[in-house]
Amino acid sequence: MTPIGPTDSLTQPRYSGAATFARLPRIDEVADAEIKIVGVPFDSGVTYRPGARFGPSAIRQASRLLRPYNPAQKIDVFQTVQVADCGDISANPFNIEEAIEAVSNHASQLIAGNSRLITLGGDHTISLPLLRAMHARHGRIALVHFDAHLDTWNTYFGAPYTHGTPFRRAFEEGLLAEESCMHIGIRGPLYGSSDLVEDAGLGFQVITTDMVAEMGPKEVAAQIIRRVGNSPLYLSLDIDVMDPAFAPGTGTPEAGGLSSREVLTIIRALSGLDLVGGDVVEVSPAYDHAEVTSVAASHVVYELITLMAIKMANGS
Ligand SMILES: [Mn+2]
């Protein structure tokens, strides 16, 4: 069956109509979708600037400009597999435990068949419940985490579930294929050198922003491919992995980051990996200018969809 693609922007102007991701159909407009997009407007786990609850709607708005054919990957993404927008998960802003429960339950329903899921955040707290859902469906997950920050801290003000702690909890809960996990783009000041020691104890390999600059995006991708192998892969991207010049609209910016081009080049080079899920988090539109950040985020999502479409087109 031919997938139902996005609204044709040559017959209906792309700035009109409902703001689904990339003008794709809603999930209730298709029989089922092989790739599902869902938003989690939640930012009650942030430690500094708030506002990522408005990330999903900003990314969808910026995604109006995406077109169906990806020339870098030579694929008409939305004609290859059915992609649909599943709207937003309702997450309680006043109760983090209840919110993450809702996210994992809803995400589990979305991936119950053979669907792959990409989530628009929201702050980084949401990656924990998303990994819980992925683990329940696929077993231990290889996590490739693009971020300026490790996000493996233990607690903030005694709170275990925050945007700086999701991957410590995921490790403790046994969700991760530790030998396959990586952080990409780490930089900026830490609380102490113990942060890195503790993180290494969880099994992560770190490729810092400086290392990306030295080895180049293609070699970074090659190292990711070697480490992930055939494991089911979850790619979590905090938009602050990009320099504030490319992504000012975020909660905890760090100078000296990756360019959007470097990030997109790395991701494009990952085709062949079994990407079962991903998220793009920490877009905080109130700190954005001219949609710079949400445009970058929408392109990351587009490249993740493309990776999934390529893998599914090749029969898996
Ligand atoms: Mn983060």
Side-chain angles (χ1 to χ4, degrees):
M1 213 166 64
T2 312
I4 299 174
T7 302
D8 182 1
S9 296
L10 297 176
T11 57
Q12 185 181 346
R14 59 176 68 255
Y15 43 81
S16 67
T20 55
F21 185 82
R23 312 191 80 202
L24 284 160
R26 297 188 315 264
I27 190 68
D28 59 308
E29 296 175 311
V30 298
D32 196 9
E34 293 150 293
I35 301 173
K36 295 175 179 171
I37 312 296
V38 73
V40 181
F42 174 85
D43 63 5
S44 303
V46 303
T47 54
Y48 198 55
R49 294 170 175 175
R53 64 181 59 184
F54 298 109
S57 52
I59 296 169
R60 287 190 177 103
Q61 177 63 21
S63 75
R64 288 174 178 278
L65 199 48
L66 295 168
R67 301 178 190 88
Y69 186 71
N70 185 333
Q73 301 283 44
K74 298 185 175 61
I75 185 170
D76 191 325
V77 183
F78 304 126
Q79 288 304 305
T80 305
V81 291
Q82 182 65 61
V83 192
D85 191 319
C86 300
D88 289 338
I89 296 176
S90 176
N92 188 336
F94 302 107
N95 186 324
I96 294 182
E97 280 80 356
E98 195 179 308
I100 62 180
E101 194 69 23
V103 172
S104 65
N105 289 341
H106 199 125
S108 290
Q109 289 168 23
L110 291 173
I111 62 171
N114 214 13
S115 299
R116 298 171 194 239
L117 181 67
I118 300 173
T119 304
L120 318 175
D123 76 47
H124 226 151
T125 311
I126 66 171
S127 296
L128 174 65
L130 291 165
L131 283 167
R132 285 179 182 166
M134 292 291 154
H135 175 263
R137 173 71 182 75
H138 298 285
R140 291 164 72 246
I141 297 288
L143 169 67
V144 174
H145 169 221
F146 287 75
D147 202 322
H149 312 99
L150 299 165
D151 289 5
T152 52
W153 285 289
N154 190 15
T155 59
Y156 282 95
F157 293 79
Y161 301 114
T162 77
H163 80 154
T165 58
F167 304 126
R168 171 80 69 118
R169 298 289 93 77
F171 169 84
E172 291 167 349
E173 295 177 17
L175 309 180
L176 305 177
E178 291 140 27
E179 67 286 354
S180 303
C181 292
M182 303 176 81
H183 302 294
I184 315 293
I186 300 298
R187 67 184 187 279
L190 300 169
Y191 293 96
S193 60
S194 58
D195 291 357
L196 290 168
V197 175
E198 288 186 29
D199 184 80
L202 308 184
F204 282 91
Q205 180 187 335
V206 177
I207 297 181
T208 64
T209 291
D210 288 345
M211 292 163 76
V212 176
E214 279 165 29
M215 68 176 84
K218 291 279 165 60
E219 174 57 24
V220 174
Q223 292 202 12
I224 294 171
I225 288 168
R226 277 202 295 279
R227 187 156 166 93
V228 171
N230 296 319
S231 299
L233 167 65
Y234 189 85
L235 193 155
S236 180
L237 186 137
D238 188 323
I239 203 69
D240 71 28
V241 74
M242 294 182 195
D243 190 88
F246 299 90
T250 193
T252 48
E254 305 282 351
L258 299 178
S259 69
S260 48
R261 184 169 59 202
E262 286 172 312
V263 170
L264 295 174
T265 302
I266 295 170
I267 293 174
R268 284 184 193 126
L270 299 180
S271 60
L273 294 181
D274 188 17
L275 182 67
V276 293
D279 62 50
V280 178
V281 299
E282 300 284 349
V283 172
S284 184
Y287 295 94
D288 206 3
H289 303 278
E291 297 184 300
V292 173
T293 312
S294 45
V295 166
S298 74
H299 279 259
V300 172
V301 173
Y302 182 74
E303 296 299 338
L304 295 180
I305 294 171
T306 302
L307 290 185
M308 291 175 170
I310 291 170
K311 181 75 177 169
M312 294 171 112
N314 293 336
S316 53

